[in-house]
Amino acid sequence: MRRMCALALALAGVVSLASAEPVKIGAILAVTGPNANLGTPEARTLRMLADQANAAGGIAGHKVDLIIKDSQGSAEKAVSFAKQLIEEDNVLAIIGPSTTGESMKLKGLCDDSQMVLLSCAAGEGIVNPVAKWVFKVAPMDSFAAQMIFSTMKKMGITRIGLLCSNSGFGQGGKAQVQKLAPAAGITVVTAEDYDSAATDLTGVLTKIRGENVQAVINWSTEPAQSIVLKNMKQIGFDVPIFQSHGFGNIAYATAAGKAAEGTLFPCGRLLVADVLPASHPQKSVLTTYKTAYMKLYNEEPSTFGGHAWDSFHLLADAVTKVGTDRSKVRDYLEGVKGFVGTGGIFNFSPTDHNGLTMDAFEMLTVKDGRFVTLK
């Protein structure tokens, strides 16, 4: 009898899943290429969540049809894939892209097409000015800059050198650092750009060292983050090095080896979930995601994979509450309050399509090859 009941329940779930139209979710991610450390964990997270949802009967009875496109970090490919997802696949929403440059290219396209976009990139321009159909789940560059400046103030640092990749993320961060530095009592003595595909930054670092700065900020998401650390060590440039929140993947620290020790950067709490008190509102979400991801992929999750987790669950909540009408999903997202995600606690509004505050960040450092909270 128990077996018959179990079979009946299983069949009921199958019937329920089959009776509702699938919900198509598109994703444009840099799974390969120079930004694979962003896109790969994002894609893996989405596949895991889609499989979990389908195994549980779908989202409100709708099977998840996940369509992932690998942009390789190319804005041109991102635009082409977005058009496919909008015009041919008729997806409910698009998660991604992984990078700011790609997201900025899709901002107008998705808004004009009335397509929900949940960007996983951090650039402020993605949501400032607000575009009706465009949201992002990564914290603001300006908050990261302010967190860095607050730490510098405690360390007595007032003169810094800034270097940034020529990517959308790098240039967006550069603008925020230069804009906010004076009010924080920080002088940006020199600001240097470098090609996002650079493999040696000795020259630009030597130039910055000659300016007698007290610290360096590097703003990028590419492998150059690791190269900066190695090159500083090689030329004996011994000042504190701050990275942006783009450093939130342990792979960057691993690639730099001992040169990464002491690197300082603001990031979400996923990377230090284990040491959060049980009472912290994000503790359960972070540990649940981290445990599931590590069990499936046998690797540490990154803050970037966390952006995919937040995007998927925001959409799942919307479908559960208002169904699969795209306009209703958009309206629901804009009104979300108190959503506890990996990136922080989200409170969206018509004037705020990011929904996070500076409280989303912790200041982290690298110690013995691991990320730890800065004491």
Side-chain angles (χ1 to χ4, degrees):
M1 179 61 71
R2 288 180 179 174
R3 289 181 180 178
M4 290 177 66
C5 288
L7 179 59
L9 287 171
L11 289 173
V14 172
V15 171
S16 174
L17 191 58
S19 64
E21 286 291 319
V23 57
K24 290 186 178 181
I25 298 175
I28 300 173
L29 306 170
V31 183
T32 60
N35 291 292
N37 279 340
L38 282 64
T40 296
E42 291 165 351
R44 287 177 174 173
T45 297
L46 290 181
R47 292 190 186 102
M48 178 184 76
L49 294 175
D51 288 345
Q52 288 176 352
N54 287 336
I59 300 174
H62 298 272
K63 177 184 177 182
V64 178
D65 184 359
L66 178 65
I67 305 170
I68 296 178
K69 304 288 189 180
D70 178 12
S71 68
Q72 299 179 318
S74 163
E76 291 73 22
K77 289 183 179 180
V79 169
S80 178
F81 287 141
K83 290 178 178 177
Q84 289 180 26
L85 292 170
I86 294 167
E87 298 167 6
E88 299 174 21
D89 297 304
N90 191 32
V91 297
L92 173 67
I94 296 174
I95 293 174
S98 304
T99 70
T100 295
E102 296 172 272
S103 298
M104 291 300 295
K105 286 290 186 180
L106 297 196
K107 181 177 180 178
L109 172 63
C110 287
D111 209 40
D112 291 343
S113 303
Q114 298 187 353
M115 171 58 63
V116 173
L117 181 72
L118 281 161
S119 172
C120 294
E124 305 239 344
I126 299 167
V127 291
N128 284 329
V130 168
K132 182 176 180 179
W133 293 82
V134 179
F135 302 81
K136 81 179 185 77
V137 296
M140 294 287 198
D141 290 341
S142 58
F143 297 150
Q146 290 175 63
M147 181 69 79
I148 289 172
F149 292 152
S150 176
T151 304
M152 286 182 169
K153 186 175 181 179
K154 294 173 184 176
M155 297 170 67
I157 294 169
T158 59
R159 291 171 50 85
I160 67 168
L162 172 65
L163 68 160
C164 307
S165 73
N166 61 358
S167 66
F169 179 72
Q171 294 305 295
K174 177 182 179 181
Q176 291 301 321
V177 169
Q178 292 180 317
K179 174 185 175 182
L180 297 169
I186 302 292
T187 300
V188 180
V189 179
T190 180
E192 303 290 337
D193 295 339
Y194 59 84
D195 191 279
S196 57
T199 58
D200 189 329
L201 295 168
T202 303
V204 68
L205 285 166
T206 300
K207 181 178 180 181
I208 293 174
R209 184 179 62 176
E211 298 290 343
N212 193 32
V213 298
Q214 296 170 287
V216 170
I217 297 177
N218 174 63
W219 209 283
S220 66
T221 57
E222 297 83 10
Q225 293 182 105
S226 305
I227 296 168
V228 165
L229 301 176
K230 289 181 178 179
N231 288 167
M232 285 185 70
K233 192 78 170 178
Q234 289 164 356
I235 65 173
F237 192 5
D238 189 20
V239 297
I241 170 70
F242 292 79
Q243 302 268 16
S244 73
H245 44 316
F247 195 66
N249 187 326
I250 196 64
Y252 293 124
T254 301
K258 292 184 178 180
E261 290 294 303
T263 301
L264 301 155
F265 68 106
C267 209
R269 296 178 178 86
L270 176 62
L271 304 181
V272 289
D274 296 345
V275 299
L276 291 178
S279 60
H280 194 283
Q282 287 181 268
K283 178 76 172 186
S284 177
V285 166
L286 295 173
T287 54
T288 297
Y289 169 47
K290 185 173 182 178
T291 299
Y293 188 92
M294 291 182 68
K295 181 178 180 181
L296 186 60
Y297 297 114
N298 195 33
E299 68 178 22
E300 291 275 350
S302 74
T303 186
F304 308 111
H307 299 334
W309 192 100
D310 293 341
S311 299
F312 185 93
H313 280 281
L314 282 164
L315 283 176
D317 282 1
V319 170
T320 300
K321 298 290 177 53
V322 301
T324 58
D325 180 278
R326 192 180 298 139
S327 293
K328 291 181 179 179
V329 167
R330 190 221 74 86
D331 292 347
Y332 175 86
L333 291 173
E334 193 172 75
V336 164
K337 303 295 180 189
F339 173 85
V340 181
T342 69
I345 299 175
F346 292 83
N347 293 287
F348 292 106
S349 74
T351 58
D352 184 357
H353 279 200
N354 178 226
L356 295 173
T357 66
M358 197 162 74
D359 184 59
F361 284 124
E362 292 278 351
M363 202 67 191
L364 307 184
T365 188
V366 180
K367 183 178 181 180
D368 299 326
R370 306 292 299 169
F371 291 150
V372 298
T373 306
L374 180 66
K375 302 298 184 182

